[in-house]
Amino acid sequence: MTAPIVIHAGFHKTGTSTVQAFLKANRPHLKPHMAIVLKPRIRDVLHAARGYSTWRDPLTLAKFAHRIETVFAGLPGVRRRGLILSAEELCGHMPGRDGIDDYSAAPVLLTEIAHAAERIWGRPDLHFVLTTRARDAWLESSYWEHVKSSSMTEDFADYAARIGPGADLSEIAARVAQAVAPFPVHDIALDTGPADPILGLFDLPDATWAALTPVPARNARLAPETLKRLLEINRTISDRTARKLAKQALLQQG
């Protein structure tokens, strides 16, 4: 009997960091039942995924396909044991960066993952998980994440007008499902507490469920005043190093 191979591939700002922290914290309890692969182990794969979402060129896509296949080949026994691989950048960059206004790279990238899994494991029990949230909430959350982590200066209204047409995450998940069929895609809403539905794809003993420990939410939104001050820093400090130091000083104030 084959065990599930679960690819939790996004989306950004849908609780992915909290899911990954939960998997890491509970690895001792989960390790007997599945392999767990998180972002630090697949940095070169994610670099290629981000590159493809930027350039959309066949060479970078081939590089991504080769790298994810190499990762799979280095995981002996997972067809029997099971696997969770969680990394939101498997869908590429988060929309909102210059030239990246949507997740249209995601169906292409996840199709390559499906093909790589088939090359390594034949016909695996492969599942894709895409965590989602309501359009307006995601737009606001992604905007402020860009303000915090990049030099973004545009107003939210302009950002929403630019990114909004591609911000229906469940619609993107449906397009992914068409691309990777017949492998299932699970659209799991953020407010369901996504870690439990992901682990529900495995036949875990009751004792394992009872031993699992929750973790605090990761990468939660900062206070409104702090976010406004970060935006002001982006708009008033042009030097990259000085801007970074100013942001760090603000965030260290708590």
Side-chain angles (χ1 to χ4, degrees):
M1 186 175 72
T2 61
I5 293 170
V6 177
I7 310 298
H8 176 213
F11 297 104
H12 301 81
K13 306 308 297 177
T14 62
T16 53
S17 295
T18 303
V19 169
Q20 291 150 15
F22 177 86
L23 294 172
K24 182 177 180 180
N26 287 284
R27 191 189 295 268
H29 304 299
L30 297 171
K31 189 175 180 180
H33 309 288
M34 67 195 70
I36 297 172
V37 176
L38 303 176
K39 290 189 283 188
R41 190 168 173 180
I42 56 169
R43 294 188 190 279
D44 61 338
V45 175
L46 303 181
H47 185 268
R50 294 191 301 268
Y52 177 73
S53 71
T54 301
W55 304 109
R56 307 299 174 98
D57 64 302
L59 179 60
T60 305
L61 184 61
K63 187 183 297 184
F64 171 79
H66 172 72
R67 289 178 179 179
I68 192 66
E69 183 173 341
T70 300
V71 169
F72 289 162
L75 297 169
V78 298
R79 188 167 185 181
R80 171 183 49 80
R81 180 182 172 206
L83 167 69
I84 293 180
L85 189 157
S86 179
E88 61 273 24
E89 289 170 308
L90 289 170
C91 286
H93 278 299
M94 182 170 69
R97 296 170 60 96
D98 289 345
I100 303 175
D101 292 345
D102 56 34
Y103 274 116
S104 57
V108 179
L109 290 165
L110 301 191
T111 296
E112 291 298 329
I113 292 178
H115 291 335
E118 289 181 304
R119 287 192 293 271
I120 295 298
W121 295 306
R123 194 65 169 176
D125 183 15
L126 178 65
H127 299 255
F128 290 93
V129 170
L130 292 170
T131 40
T132 60
R133 68 192 300 182
R135 175 186 177 277
D136 290 349
W138 182 83
L139 277 171
E140 190 172 357
S141 182
S142 64
Y143 171 73
W144 288 114
E145 181 64 26
H146 282 302
V147 169
K148 182 178 74 171
S149 61
S150 78
S151 59
M152 179 171 284
T153 60
E154 71 181 317
D155 291 328
F156 174 71
D158 294 333
Y159 175 86
R162 178 167 62 91
I163 304 302
D168 185 338
L169 300 186
S170 287
E171 192 276 331
I172 300 161
R175 282 193 274 138
V176 170
Q178 287 183 320
V180 303
F183 300 113
V185 172
H186 305 268
D187 176 344
I188 299 176
L190 169 64
D191 56 10
T192 65
D196 284 358
I198 293 171
L199 291 177
L201 297 171
F202 295 81
D203 186 18
L204 296 179
D206 290 343
T208 299
W209 282 108
L212 299 178
T213 304
V215 299
R218 297 298 199 269
N219 201 21
R221 189 189 306 182
L222 300 169
E225 185 57 35
T226 300
L227 295 171
K228 291 178 183 177
R229 291 177 65 186
L230 288 170
L231 181 60
E232 186 64 20
I233 288 171
N234 286 351
R235 289 174 169 172
T236 58
I237 303 178
S238 58
D239 180 78
R240 182 176 180 178
T241 300
R243 185 173 61 243
K244 181 179 180 180
L245 290 173
K247 285 185 168 184
Q248 287 176 344
L250 174 60
L251 295 175
Q252 286 171 0
Q253 293 175 14

